[in-house]
Amino acid sequence: MRLSEVVVTGLTGASKMREMPTPVSVVSLREMQSTVSTNIIDLVARQPGVSQITTGGGISKPVIRGLGYNRVAVVSDGIRQEGQQWGDEHGIEIDAQAVGSVEIQKGPASLMYGSDAMAGVIIFHPQPIMPLGQMRAEASTEYHTNNGLFDYSVNFGGNKSGFVWDARWSQKMAHAYKNRRDGYVPGSQFQEQAARTMIGLNRKWGFSHLILGYYHLSPGIIEGERDEVTGELESACSDRKTYGHTLPFQHVYHYKAVVDNSIYLGNGTLKALVGYQQNRRQEYEESRDEYGLYFQLHTLNYDVRYLFSTADNWKFAFGIGGMYQRSLNKGDEYLIPAYYLTDMGVYATASKRYGRWNLTGGLRADRRQLHSEELIDDGEERFTAFNRHFDGFSGSIGAVFNVTDQFNLRANVSRGFRAPNMSELGANGVHEGTIRYEVGNNNLKAENSWQFDIVADYSSSFLSAQLALFANRIDNYIYTRRTDEVFDDEHTTYRYDAGDARLMGFELSVDMHPVHCLHFNNTFSLVDAVQLHQPKESKYLPFTPAPRWTSEVKYELLHDGRVLNNAYLGLNIECYLKQNHYYMQDQTETATPSYTLLNASAGTDIMHKGKRRASLYLTVNNIFDRAYQNHLSRLKYTDINNRTQEMGIYNMGRNIVLKLVVPVVW
């Protein structure tokens, strides 16, 4: 796809990708349908510069250019997704089936989204509203052989006289996954249910939409305990392929209500968006009926902005946005204190088209106020009440020079801001999902970053290529480190600390199609992340992705066939180089050897009377059943196998996936 044809979410509204001064990746619906994944982040983590911190197959957290957790903002249905994303084993509560496309903006996006967008933002766009007078129904299903994953999704939407609606129900279940070293991994099974409804009006004056969402994930908790003699993973259930809950496990509920309004006003558009989210996270450790930890998080988001353009190619946006948040502890075990916070930011952005130049920039000011509540547990002070406030200023200025219609040069300088989350400030307890005891530090300061981006890209009918270079300096970078302190005899202690960091690297993408039916795509991503002024043992930042090279050959077999259409065969290689830049102090991390995975895919549309009646996809991941550990897998640090003397649990082995999509449009 030509860069100039892709429309993305820019600083001043919808923009063509060629006008953006920073690199942006877009994952289309067609690409998502043909990609194997067990969750929504697993789906996008194959993009250059994007990785994932995983806990088995059900839980993934996005990482952009070596930065994750609260440094990546996730946007769904127009609002920031807020679901206790500070936790290692807390995934993203979004139904992959309800997503129409994914937009990944790399680099500080604090201008539009405030604190927590220091690394970038991942925007999940819903499927487009049907054209006037049309209705659509769709059903899809897939099956994975490795973990028995089965899912289905049904959808019905339409547009009659400007009254628009869209309704979807999805369900997914998987038993424990397996690999050559560990066999089946107890606790890696999960169940997922999701519903989404949108109703609204589209008129000449604009639109008004109401969106309601429900998401329920029930993942097991992988503890990794092994038999001391045989080295086999221990399980509370004799059936390693059960789809049911085995102790310990979680229930995660996420409820959402969003009112999205867009009104044409004067020469511009007034956008007003208000959303309410409630996230419930319960951990069951000793009993199926009684939870231990229970977090309940209430979030009210708001964003009001006015966008307009002038006759001399200026575009402007002015806005105010923020949130109110209330977190409660409703269980009898505790990790972080109950708290409430208020967040508010004001911003202004502008862009100007001048010949072959496109200039963009903006400023934003944020204030976050946070209050932690005291807790006395068994006569002892577990949490101390404290108040903190953080002020942040963000800015960005960039330029794009269209050297030719095919060749572009881009440069951008941006400043990001992130306030510490409550886990970093006030944690004091056993974090069962991470198998460790965590201690916060309420003296932490806000993180501030300066990032520089230089990008060159070329796009023609037979070649598309992009080279993106970046350098990022972060003051007060917050991280966890292992200590010798003992708060609990069964868990290692980790404390939050801070220092100055520097990250730099690049992404290279080359997509060649010398003939119409053949595509040869290669990507390479590298990030070097270090703490400044530190000895070798603590020099490198934890959870830094290994350098990654991917290569795919795709041959299109058939176009415009009467029965089969858009048929293709593909072969894909994923090569992860050795990661020996790791945080080694107190054995917090270990090196990870290199490994290569070979995957194959095939797909086709099934036609009848000139219309697409179904799409069928077949994929084989890890064809040779390679046993490997990804450097960002948290299961890498579970118990040692006494039989093999290897630490941790390995990733999923060979997996064959069959997917069917059946659309009906009338």
Side-chain angles (χ1 to χ4, degrees), residues 436 479-485 492-499 531-543 580-591 631 637:
R436 65 194 191 190
Y479 63 97
T480 55
R481 60 178 178 84
R482 187 173 176 176
T483 75
D484 294 330
E485 301 170 281
T492 305
T493 301
Y494 285 74
R495 279 190 175 271
Y496 284 95
D497 208 341
Q531 289 196 84
L532 302 177
H533 318 300
Q534 293 290 324
K536 180 180 179 181
E537 291 75 15
S538 56
K539 177 180 179 180
Y540 298 104
L541 297 184
F543 282 119
N580 53 12
H581 291 180
Y582 60 95
Y583 190 86
M584 61 181 68
Q585 184 171 312
D586 301 314
Q587 297 183 331
T588 299
E589 285 190 316
T590 59
H631 188 69
Y637 301 101

Side-chain angles (χ1 to χ4, degrees), residues 451-462:
Q451 178 157 317
F452 301 86
D453 287 273
I454 298 177
V455 183
D457 55 68
Y458 176 83
S459 180
S460 70
S461 58
F462 63 90

Side-chain angles (χ1 to χ4, degrees), residues 173-320:
M173 61 184 69
H175 61 64
Y177 77 84
K178 63 180 178 180
N179 59 60
R180 294 174 60 183
R181 297 288 179 86
D182 304 306
Y184 287 98
V185 178
S188 61
Q189 70 269 26
F190 63 92
Q191 299 179 13
E192 179 183 294
Q193 296 175 329
R196 180 184 183 273
T197 300
M198 183 279 293
I199 56 173
L201 290 174
N202 287 8
R203 291 289 188 260
K204 293 181 179 180
W205 48 261
F207 66 79
S208 180
H209 297 162
L210 171 65
I211 303 165
L212 301 176
Y214 162 80
Y215 180 92
H216 178 203
L217 176 68
S218 300
I221 296 178
I222 306 170
E223 295 185 306
E225 296 179 350
R226 296 181 181 271
D227 184 283
E228 293 185 359
V229 178
T230 66
E232 291 186 0
L233 290 166
E234 296 181 348
S235 173
C237 178
S238 58
D239 183 5
R240 297 296 181 99
K241 298 172 68 174
T242 179
Y243 288 88
H245 303 132
T246 59
L247 293 171
F249 66 91
Q250 297 184 71
H251 277 307
V252 181
Y253 299 88
H254 196 85
Y255 306 91
K256 180 190 296 185
V258 179
V259 179
D260 187 4
N261 301 286
S262 184
I263 301 171
Y264 303 127
L265 192 62
N267 294 324
T269 303
L270 177 66
K271 292 183 175 292
L273 189 147
V274 178
Y276 169 74
Q277 301 174 73
Q278 183 183 131
N279 187 273
R280 300 180 181 180
R281 188 174 300 273
Q282 303 164 337
E283 291 187 2
Y284 296 79
E285 301 158 22
E286 306 296 335
S287 168
R288 295 174 180 270
D289 303 316
E290 297 183 7
Y291 47 76
L293 283 172
Y294 179 5
F295 301 120
Q296 188 178 94
L297 178 67
H298 303 265
T299 304
L300 179 66
N301 306 85
Y302 61 91
D303 185 81
V304 180
R305 69 183 71 168
Y306 183 65
L307 306 94
F308 67 97
S309 57
T310 64
D312 55 350
N313 292 325
W314 278 100
K315 292 182 180 180
F316 297 95
F318 303 92
I320 180 171

